[in-house]
Amino acid sequence: MTSLLVRRALPEDLEEIMALLAQDSMHYYEEPAAVSANQRAAFDEIDTDVNQDLLVGELDGQIVCTAQVTWMRMLAADGGLYCQVEAVRTDSAMRGHGIGALLMESIEGEARRRGAARIQLTSNKERTRAHTFYERLGYVASHVGMKKYL
Amino acid sequence: MTSLLVRRALPEDLEEIMALLAQDSMHYYEEPAAVSANQRAAFDEIDTDVNQDLLVGELDGQIVCTAQVTWMRMLAADGGLYCQVEAVRTDSAMRGHGIGALLMESIEGEARRRGAARIQLTSNKERTRAHTFYERLGYVASHVGMKKYL
């Protein structure tokens, strides 16, 4: 396999990222049929925030995965940094090639470079394969993830 | 009960906030004995970031609870906003007075004002009383919270 290039998303990647998100079996929200003005504005907001990174992974010039990372400074851990990972998706046609692991390793590498105290994410209780995937990468299912939709 | 005043933390609140965090039965990290330069720097970083709010709740001029909120812009939910809550603590001597609920309601109020799509948090699996507390406030334990300490 050609190595995965993980990079910050560009505005022209939005259609492909939204297509990856739309593949998801769990639809928490109704999304617009095409990339909307709100989503373009959201992209700009994320892109200009030093603590939010929208990432894509490219394989032979094709976007095959995405994730969003938020850097959260804490008082705990002597003023430590938490790395929160959201919206991790790999192209369903590209599963089983280790793409997701390479993406997560890239994020962990950046977290280590920044001296982060921990990486954290939540995964729907029904995604048991995802839990096994993250546990294999060293994540511990120590917490309950609680959501309230407004 | 006098009503709880929820406000952004000030630098002079740091000792009291750290004392609340230190009451916690779960110590994930070794913390300095007194507020450290790193923690003061962390406070400044949080304080100057529009997407991170360190909060305290005051009762009769006394700090009785704290929480940290991070606002995360997403592509999902048509460019929606997630409100992430971390480090929620109520003074152990003040439990059972509804202080935690007032703090969470204040955060939810701000999330609604900002049009957030959801509020989310994680709670250690062992904190079963906390889960009941959050469920009473409308949170659903739909996810597994995974952490990797670096």
Side-chain angles (χ1 to χ4, degrees):
Chain A
M1 188 172 101
T2 322
S3 68
L4 187 75
L5 170 69
V6 178
R7 59 167 176 81
R8 287 179 64 184
L10 299 169
E12 52 265 39
D13 301 328
L14 270 176
E15 277 81 3
E16 284 168 274
I17 296 169
M18 290 312 301
L20 283 178
L21 297 181
Q23 281 183 5
D24 190 5
S25 57
M26 288 174 185
H27 297 281
Y28 296 106
Y29 306 101
E30 195 75 41
E31 301 293 350
V35 175
S36 70
N38 284 343
Q39 285 166 333
R40 296 204 180 277
F43 176 89
D44 290 343
E45 187 178 326
I46 296 164
D47 196 46
T48 53
D49 185 342
V50 293
N51 286 323
Q52 297 190 81
D53 298 326
L54 181 63
L55 302 174
V56 294
E58 245 185 37
L59 204 63
D60 300 327
Q62 184 87 17
I63 290 174
V64 293
C65 59
T66 181
Q68 186 169 337
V69 175
T70 305
W71 303 95
M72 307 189 298
R73 180 62 64 184
M74 292 287 142
L75 294 178
D78 192 21
L81 189 68
Y82 291 178
C83 172
Q84 168 100 2
V85 190
E86 291 274 344
V88 181
R89 299 292 181 272
T90 297
D91 187 343
S92 55
M94 300 293 288
R95 296 267 165 80
H97 293 82
I99 289 169
L102 289 172
L103 174 63
M104 293 306 297
E105 279 162 21
S106 169
I107 293 169
E108 183 176 327
E110 178 63 18
R112 288 185 187 277
R113 270 190 294 280
R114 294 187 186 215
R118 76 186 194 204
I119 306 185
Q120 58 186 31
L121 56 90
T122 69
S123 178
N124 192 291
K125 277 183 175 173
E126 294 176 30
R127 297 196 207 264
T128 51
R129 286 181 62 186
H131 308 163
T132 308
F133 165 77
Y134 289 120
E135 280 166 349
R136 202 154 34 83
L137 296 176
Y139 290 78
V140 177
S142 54
H143 284 60
V144 173
M146 311 193 81
K147 318 273 179 184
K148 181 173 184 173
Y149 293 85
L150 302 181
Chain B
M1 188 172 102
T2 322
S3 68
L4 188 74
L5 169 69
V6 177
R7 60 167 175 80
R8 288 180 64 184
L10 299 170
E12 52 266 38
D13 300 327
L14 270 176
E15 278 81 3
E16 283 167 275
I17 296 169
M18 291 312 301
L20 283 178
L21 297 181
Q23 281 182 4
D24 190 6
S25 57
M26 287 174 186
H27 297 282
Y28 296 106
Y29 306 102
E30 194 75 42
E31 302 294 350
V35 175
S36 70
N38 283 343
Q39 286 167 333
R40 296 203 179 277
F43 175 88
D44 291 342
E45 189 178 326
I46 295 164
D47 195 46
T48 53
D49 185 343
V50 292
N51 286 322
Q52 297 189 81
D53 299 325
L54 181 63
L55 302 174
V56 293
E58 247 184 35
L59 204 62
D60 300 326
Q62 183 85 20
I63 290 174
V64 292
C65 60
T66 180
Q68 187 170 335
V69 175
T70 305
W71 304 95
M72 306 189 299
R73 180 61 63 183
M74 292 287 142
L75 294 178
D78 192 22
L81 189 66
Y82 291 178
C83 173
Q84 167 99 5
V85 189
E86 292 273 344
V88 181
R89 299 290 182 274
T90 297
D91 187 342
S92 55
M94 300 293 288
R95 295 269 165 81
H97 293 81
I99 290 169
L102 289 172
L103 174 63
M104 293 306 297
E105 279 163 21
S106 169
I107 293 169
E108 184 177 327
E110 178 63 17
R112 289 185 187 277
R113 271 189 293 280
R114 294 186 186 217
R118 76 187 193 202
I119 306 186
Q120 57 186 31
L121 55 89
T122 69
S123 178
N124 193 290
K125 277 184 176 172
E126 294 176 30
R127 298 196 208 263
T128 50
R129 286 181 61 184
H131 308 163
T132 308
F133 165 76
Y134 289 120
E135 280 165 349
R136 202 155 34 85
L137 296 176
Y139 291 79
V140 177
S142 55
H143 283 61
V144 174
M146 311 194 80
K147 317 275 178 184
K148 181 172 184 173
Y149 292 84
L150 303 180

